[in-house]
Amino acid sequence: DVAGAVTVGSGATLSVDGLATLRSTAGFNNATFTFGTCDIVGAATFSATSSATGTSGDFQSTLSLDNSSLSTSGALDITGDVSITSGGSLSIGDSSVLRADVGVSGGSSLTITTATFQGATTVGASDSVSGTTATFTSSLPQIATGGTYTVTTTKVSGNIAMSDDVTLPGSADLSIEEGNSLRLNGHRLEIGGDLFVEISNTANDGLRMTNANDVMVVGGDATFSSHTHNYSSTSEGNFTAGEIYF
């Protein structure tokens, strides 16, 4: 349990078998950090081929991985922005939460099991995101042409209005479960996999296309259903304009 700033320099190793509590900033430069569980209050910066491994962690500020790696077998909860650059990698376990913006660039990678993304997520042309289930609460991920997105299922949680065109390449499925909504808002959405839309008796949930410029392209199958076959479920008013291609 360290109250002040922590700096671990070239070739050094910091190992904590149990809980590592760092109450200020943490900087790792060509260093190794191993932990059972970590709680870092200030900004955490890993650079120059640093590496960190542990079971789980709570990063209460920003996390930067510059040509460095961080891997946890369990959940990671990150409050601030996440930057993975210059060949960096982040691999996180089940039920992780990323509460701000996430940027993957410069030949870097992000690997998840199941994770919730509450901010904007951008993936560069030479970068990759992979995993089982990614849930987005404010916006869909922006994948640059050439970028790799091999998340099996992408879920919409909350009410998302698109602000740009989005392509989920490969065989990525998109799921909009009952009580949540995705509004194309005059943009194009293309997915390589299947589309699942489930509506309830909540007004305006599901997929919404009400702008003449809305375009939806589905590479796989499309399934529209109502939650528990609720007789009052309706998609009335959700499809008034735009085009859908199957």
Side-chain angles (χ1 to χ4, degrees):
D1 190 332
V2 182
V6 172
T7 301
V8 183
S10 181
T13 298
L14 173 62
S15 297
V16 180
D17 291 336
L19 171 62
T21 302
L22 308 180
R23 301 188 181 276
S24 184
T25 57
F28 297 85
N29 189 326
N30 192 27
T32 302
F33 179 35
T34 61
F35 54 89
T37 302
C38 72
D39 184 359
I40 301 178
V41 175
T45 303
F46 297 82
S47 60
T49 67
S50 292
S51 65
T53 56
T55 301
S56 60
D58 186 358
F59 288 76
Q60 299 184 36
S61 184
T62 58
L63 170 63
S64 175
L65 295 167
D66 182 2
N67 194 28
S68 300
S69 64
L70 169 59
S71 175
T72 60
S73 58
L76 204 62
D77 191 322
I78 308 174
T79 301
D81 292 346
V82 176
S83 175
I84 312 169
T85 62
S86 303
S89 66
L90 175 62
S91 179
I92 51 182
D94 197 21
S95 301
S96 293
V97 181
L98 295 88
R99 301 183 184 275
D101 296 346
V102 177
V104 186
S105 63
S108 302
S109 65
L110 170 60
T111 304
I112 65 169
T113 304
T114 63
T116 299
F117 297 78
Q118 297 182 351
T121 300
T122 58
V123 181
S126 59
D127 309 286
S128 66
V129 177
S130 61
T132 303
T133 304
T135 300
F136 295 90
T137 66
S138 63
S139 62
L140 294 178
Q142 286 289 339
I143 316 296
T145 301
T148 303
Y149 185 81
T150 54
V151 175
T152 304
T153 301
T154 298
K155 290 187 175 183
V156 170
S157 177
N159 301 306
I160 295 179
M162 291 175 55
S163 59
D164 206 344
D165 296 346
V166 172
T167 298
L168 300 181
S171 58
D173 297 337
L174 178 64
S175 175
I176 309 169
E177 297 179 351
E178 55 97 12
N180 304 292
S181 69
L182 175 64
R183 182 158 55 95
L184 267 60
N185 204 30
H187 295 287
R188 177 187 177 94
L189 173 59
E190 183 171 352
I191 64 172
D194 298 336
L195 173 67
F196 302 91
V197 181
E198 182 183 55
I199 61 172
S200 67
N201 56 354
T202 300
N204 301 320
D205 67 351
L207 178 65
R208 301 192 63 202
M209 299 178 62
T210 59
N211 187 303
N213 294 320
D214 290 347
V215 176
M216 177 84 211
V217 181
V218 181
D221 297 332
T223 302
F224 295 84
S225 65
S226 61
H227 180 60
T228 64
H229 304 290
N230 191 318
Y231 73 92
S232 60
S233 299
T234 178
S235 60
E236 183 178 0
N238 283 4
F239 302 99
T240 61
E243 299 174 341
I244 304 180
Y245 297 90
F246 299 103

